[in-house]
């Protein structure tokens, strides 16, 4: 679909795309670090797949809406690929060797 007029004569893209961060509204690097450490702490404290999925979704949304166009802002994709590789390797070892960490949530019996 194309562009549609929003109330007040302003143009918007359809479907809605995330706003672009500029130098004036970009987050401070220290804020990124604190936010990432908070998400990492929250993720390490739970084994609930729903909460982990929500944390991943929130992280992806915030990065998509608040990163600037600088070269280092594209590193998020590389870290997502690295995380998926680590999860796949960990899953293979857990299946082959057994998981030493007992979970409270059973996905498949």
């Amino acid at each position: 679909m194309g562009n549609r007029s929003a109330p007040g004569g302003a143009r918007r893209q359809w479907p809605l795309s995330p706003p672009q961060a500029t130098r004036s509204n970009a987050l401070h690097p220290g804020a990124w670090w604190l936010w990432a450490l908070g998400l990492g702490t929250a993720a390490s404290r739970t084994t609930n797949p729903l909460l982990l999925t929500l944390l991943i979704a929130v992280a992806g949304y915030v990065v998509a809406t608040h990163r600037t166009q600088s070269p280092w802002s594209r590193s998020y994709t590389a870290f997502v690929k690295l995380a998926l590789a680590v999860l796949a390797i960990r899953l293979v070892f857990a299946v082959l060797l057994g998981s030493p960490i007992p979970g409270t949530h059973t996905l498949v019996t």
Side-chain angles (χ1 to χ4, degrees):
M1 297 199 162
N3 290 338
R4 299 192 185 214
S5 290
R11 303 287 286 178
R12 67 179 177 154
Q13 288 183 344
W14 190 263
L16 295 175
S17 60
Q20 287 294 319
T22 61
R23 191 170 173 89
S24 63
N25 69 352
L27 293 176
H28 187 275
W32 280 110
W33 276 100
L34 287 174
W35 179 74
L37 288 172
L39 279 182
T41 303
S44 68
R45 302 290 297 164
T46 185
T47 58
N48 187 337
L50 176 62
L51 289 177
L52 292 172
T53 304
L54 288 173
L55 284 173
I56 293 168
V58 166
Y61 179 76
V62 170
V63 168
T65 59
H66 287 86
R67 69 178 173 181
T68 59
Q69 295 299 322
S70 58
W72 51 85
S73 68
R74 292 187 297 264
S75 64
Y76 182 73
T77 305
F79 284 114
V80 168
K81 290 177 183 176
L82 177 65
L84 290 174
V86 168
L87 286 174
I89 292 169
R90 188 172 176 199
L91 179 65
V92 167
F93 281 125
V95 168
L96 294 178
L97 304 174
S99 179
I101 303 170
T104 58
H105 299 279
T106 304
L107 295 178
V108 179
T109 56

